[in-house]
Amino acid sequence: SVERDLSHLDTVSLLAMASNATYTVPGQTPYKDLNATASWIHHFSGLLTWNNSLYFDNFLAQDTAETQRLFWRANSGLEMIVSPRLKTHAAFGWVFAPSYATATDVSAAPLSSGLFQTGSGNLPVFDVGLTYQLTKTASAALSFNRAVTPTITGQLQEGTGVQGGITNQVNSYSSYSLTSSFSHLNGGIGSSASDLVTATAGYSYRFTKELRGTASYTFTTRHDETGVARSNTFLVSLSQAFTLLP
């Protein structure tokens, strides 16, 4: 990732990631994926900020049809400090996703053999919410959104949800958070609609100015036509930040 301040009012950044997945278990589809996010942040004043981003994802499945799925998402929104305690945000955007078979021998690779159905679709998305400063160190947040996101297998998942949580800054080095969310996920190809409820507890500690560690626990419940599924996830990460000088 690269971030650059064009001026005291404008900041641009670029984040890119590439992956190549292979499987030793039969029945799984290997794939290659490339995604990138470009963003531009403009500060009209100390109270109003304009955020713009463009996300692109290129997913190539190594199936019989050599299916390729592209995904574009453009977003634009405002963040406003209403009072010393209250901050709001509202963002709106659009997604566009075409999918097609790239196999040279179409007769040997019918469209039905691909990982995705061919064609294209588009959909509006949004995210609105607010953050309230409860105390000097604690804040509460609530948001409502409609989103379309690529899954790890390349499928697109559309859903509408509400999220809320509390974050507390213990000191200059550590903080913890408690969050919960409810999402209704529309059924995709070969799947039914489902409701997803999650609850997460997280802790973050800054060892140095550049080195930070985080730990979290997430409990998830999924309801669909097949029944109820539950999962527990523990995650520990360590991140290192660095600055590139021009």
Side-chain angles (χ1 to χ4, degrees):
S1 64
V2 178
E3 181 175 303
R4 184 175 181 84
D5 293 329
L6 302 180
S7 67
H8 69 286
L9 297 177
D10 296 278
T11 301
V12 294
S13 64
L14 178 64
L15 172 65
M17 183 180 301
S19 59
N20 183 17
T22 59
Y23 299 94
T24 57
V25 180
Q28 302 294 325
T29 304
Y31 65 85
K32 296 180 180 180
D33 184 62
L34 173 66
N35 62 74
T37 303
S39 64
W40 168 44
I41 301 175
H42 177 74
H43 299 276
F44 290 105
S45 67
L47 302 178
L48 185 62
T49 303
W50 185 24
N51 298 308
N52 302 275
S53 67
L54 178 64
Y55 175 83
F56 170 73
D57 182 71
N58 182 11
F59 187 95
L60 179 61
Q62 298 175 353
D63 52 12
T64 307
E66 298 181 11
T67 318
Q68 184 175 20
R69 192 266 299 139
L70 304 180
F71 178 76
W72 296 87
R73 181 177 62 224
N75 278 309
S76 183
L78 294 173
E79 289 185 7
M80 178 182 296
I81 299 177
V82 181
S83 71
R85 288 182 177 269
L86 181 62
K87 180 172 67 175
T88 64
H89 72 268
F92 299 91
W94 208 276
V95 299
F96 173 68
S99 176
Y100 45 88
T102 62
T104 54
D105 187 358
V106 179
S107 60
L111 299 184
S112 59
S113 66
L115 185 62
F116 314 105
Q117 288 185 347
T118 58
S120 63
N122 63 92
L123 193 72
V125 292
F126 64 86
D127 179 24
V128 295
L130 56 86
T131 302
Y132 187 78
Q133 196 72 31
L134 300 172
T135 66
K136 187 177 180 180
T137 60
S139 63
L142 181 67
S143 64
F144 176 62
N145 64 62
R146 180 190 192 186
V148 179
T149 55
T151 67
I152 192 173
T153 58
Q155 301 284 355
L156 298 179
Q157 182 69 70
E158 184 228 332
T160 303
V162 58
Q163 301 84 30
I166 296 177
T167 302
N168 186 43
Q169 188 74 35
V170 180
N171 50 45
S172 58
Y173 296 98
S174 63
S175 65
Y176 66 85
S177 61
L178 300 172
T179 60
S180 182
S181 67
F182 170 81
S183 302
H184 176 75
L185 307 178
N186 293 332
I189 301 172
S191 63
S192 60
S194 61
D195 293 325
L196 199 67
V197 179
T198 64
T200 302
Y203 178 77
S204 176
Y205 188 85
R206 182 167 59 87
F207 297 98
T208 66
K209 185 178 180 181
E210 295 83 14
L211 184 63
R212 178 179 292 274
T214 60
S216 65
Y217 163 72
T218 301
F219 175 75
T220 304
T221 302
R222 182 187 180 101
H223 300 259
D224 58 25
E225 64 180 11
T226 63
V228 180
R230 298 180 177 87
S231 68
N232 298 275
T233 304
F234 296 89
L235 180 64
V236 178
S237 66
L238 195 64
S239 61
Q240 173 77 33
F242 59 91
T243 303
L244 294 177
L245 298 177

